[in-house]
Amino acid sequence: MPDDPMVILGYDAVSPLGIDLGDQWQKALSGASGIGPLTRFDLTTDFPVRIAGQAPDIDHLPYDFLKPREQARWPSPIFKYALLTVSRALEKSGIEITPDLAPRTAVTFSSAIGGLDAVLGADRNLMNRGKLPPPFINPNACINMVGGKVSMHTGATGPISATITACATGLTSVIVGAMLINDGRADAAICGAVDFPLTEPIVAGFGTMGGAFMPKEGDPEERPEKASRPFSLNRRGFVVAEGAGCIIIAKRSFAEAHGLGVVAEIAGWAMTSDAFHHVAPNLETVRRCIAQSIEYAGITPDRISAVNAHAASTRAGDQVEADALRQVFGSRMPPVTANKSMIGHAMGAASAIESILAIEGMRTRMLPPTINYMADPAINMDSVVETRRQADQEYVLKNAFGFGGCNACMVFKRSERQ
């Protein structure tokens, strides 16, 4: 391990489990589900998807970026979700972005879908009412504007990046931030991702491509909270969800010099491209991403105490991830948990939120369960099911695999000097 490791100073998340991170963690430990009826838009009788993972309303919170004028200019929820998580993560980290620190603070905050909902609203007004779009609509559509708003909100003027890697975006954002710090371009980085994919064409599109969970003709209607079933024999696709996650990182020397507490360490990471298919995963490159992240951490696979899986609940994706884990770990498979069983799939934000839950588990020595699980003989692993599990975790592996063959994995290490 390096003498000056990359460390995590603070983090925060918004997810279908709630707005307050402590509440979200307790709900995750209890196996609660954040999945319910889709209410973000009016459903026609033949709309193919009926459920979603929706975050609770936060408009009542006393933040400047939630004032009516700001929300009128930036109507997409991605901006209030992002700024809320960033504000609270910075507060928890203890970092004060002074004029001296601002040029040395990077922002690597992105999104997979962006503010498409705002653009669709403007398009309807133009087509149906002949009303020209307001001047803020195009900025709402720019995915890099999420990081731009974070920079404006915090005063950070260092390097800025909005790397989009579909469902791996959140984890990739952390990796890019770590690279900037390692390269000497920044001292600290505000990393993360946000997504609000709950618009008619996005949700329906995931249904028609066979990815999203849909009611099955002829079968009794299932309860929404039972729909997301990672690694389960009866899995039938992911539940589209929304949310955001922010992770503040720096080198340990920076934390010590500024009197900041350390939450955890980032021990290793890796990225690979499948170069295979627009949605179907490739076993070899997924396996290599997992293996390289562990190798980069300077440890052997048997040192990994737990795996926070990507596990979107798709037939092919879950099988490839399970096969890759078996190839890397062999007979010494660590316990595996899948947060999407409770929060659904928040697209680019998913791996940021799930990384935060993985770190919470490492710090508290607890693993939340994978709910709705029915054992699949083809997926032979130690899935944490039924109830939380107490587990001492020194190293935790987080997987994230996105459309287009974008793979990212990260190894977190428990910090003994917090």
Side-chain angles (χ1 to χ4, degrees):
M1 290 297 296
D3 294 332
D4 194 9
M6 197 72 61
V7 297
I8 295 169
L9 304 176
Y11 49 76
D12 195 74
V14 167
S15 80
L17 289 180
I19 300 300
D20 178 80
L21 182 57
D23 289 345
Q24 294 174 67
W25 177 240
Q26 290 306 313
K27 288 177 180 177
L29 286 179
S30 67
S33 174
I35 310 303
L38 174 55
T39 61
R40 291 298 188 217
F41 51 83
D42 294 332
L43 299 179
T44 58
T45 55
D46 59 348
F47 196 82
V49 179
R50 318 296 294 183
I51 62 174
Q54 300 175 172
D57 183 58
I58 64 171
D59 288 349
H60 64 285
L61 295 176
Y63 291 96
D64 288 343
F65 51 82
L66 292 175
K67 289 181 178 178
R69 184 178 180 183
E70 279 295 293
Q71 292 195 70
R73 288 178 169 179
W74 305 96
S76 177
I78 64 172
F79 296 104
K80 62 181 180 181
Y81 291 168
L83 296 181
L84 178 63
T85 58
V86 167
S87 298
R88 297 194 304 200
L90 276 175
E91 183 179 358
K92 292 172 183 176
S93 75
I95 289 181
E96 181 183 356
I97 302 181
T98 63
D100 288 338
L101 182 57
R104 300 291 301 169
T105 303
V107 173
T108 57
F109 210 101
S110 192
S111 176
I113 306 297
L116 180 60
D117 55 303
V119 179
L120 287 173
D123 179 67
R124 291 188 182 109
N125 280 333
L126 182 61
M127 295 297 102
N128 298 334
R129 300 165 55 195
K131 184 177 180 180
L132 292 176
F136 279 82
I137 284 304
N138 283 356
N140 271 263
C142 296
I143 288 179
N144 69 288
M145 191 56 66
V146 179
K149 286 286 285 180
V150 169
S151 181
M152 291 178 235
H153 180 68
T154 62
T157 60
I160 187 168
S161 172
T163 303
I164 306 165
T165 51
C167 311
T169 296
L171 204 56
T172 303
S173 294
V174 180
I175 292 173
V176 172
M179 287 178 171
L180 288 170
I181 294 172
N182 275 341
D183 197 37
R185 308 286 180 170
D187 292 330
I190 303 168
C191 314
V194 59
D195 258 316
F196 181 81
L198 301 181
T199 63
E200 292 96 320
I202 295 296
V203 175
F206 282 134
T208 56
M209 72 184 294
F213 180 94
M214 297 187 296
K216 196 170 184 179
E217 189 174 353
D219 282 3
E221 186 173 345
E222 297 185 73
R223 291 158 49 195
E225 61 269 23
K226 297 292 185 182
S228 187
R229 308 189 278 252
F231 296 128
S232 186
L233 179 65
N234 60 346
R235 63 190 185 276
R236 285 213 336 258
F238 55 81
V239 175
V240 187
E242 58 181 302
C246 176
I247 299 174
I248 312 295
I249 66 172
K251 286 294 189 77
R252 183 176 285 279
S253 59
F254 175 89
E256 292 175 347
H258 291 79
L260 305 174
V262 173
V263 178
E265 296 180 9
I266 298 175
W269 63 80
M271 293 186 290
T272 63
S273 172
D274 286 344
F276 179 66
H277 190 268
H278 67 289
V279 291
N282 180 38
L283 175 59
E284 171 51 29
T285 43
V286 168
R287 181 209 63 78
R288 180 157 53 87
C289 192
I290 294 171
Q292 286 180 345
S293 68
I294 298 171
E295 182 181 1
Y296 187 3
I299 59 174
T300 52
D302 61 292
R303 298 287 301 281
I304 297 293
S305 310
V307 176
N308 186 292
H310 176 73
S313 294
T314 61
R315 300 300 304 179
D318 286 11
Q319 186 66 63
V320 166
E321 183 172 13
D323 290 345
L325 288 170
R326 274 199 303 272
Q327 288 187 14
V328 171
F329 292 104
S331 61
R332 303 186 68 173
M333 177 82 75
V336 179
T337 191
N339 301 140
K340 289 185 183 70
S341 62
M342 292 178 274
I343 64 174
H345 195 344
M347 306 295 114
S351 58
I353 299 168
E354 292 161 8
S355 291
I356 290 168
L357 294 177
I359 298 164
E360 282 288 283
M362 186 167 54
R363 293 179 63 228
T364 60
R365 292 170 168 79
M366 297 295 297
L367 294 173
T370 300
I371 64 173
N372 306 324
Y373 181 79
M374 178 186 295
D376 183 350
I379 295 180
N380 181 22
M381 63 170 59
D382 180 14
S383 292
V384 180
V385 297
E386 297 177 356
T387 185
R388 70 183 79 180
R389 183 187 300 181
Q390 189 168 358
D392 189 36
Q393 304 159 61
E394 183 181 11
Y395 291 96
V396 173
L397 170 69
K398 171 60 197 157
N399 294 336
F401 310 122
F403 286 173
C406 300
N407 306 316
C409 295
M410 183 166 283
V411 176
F412 298 107
K413 182 181 186 292
R414 186 177 64 230
S415 176
E416 301 300 342
R417 293 184 289 168
Q418 297 183 12

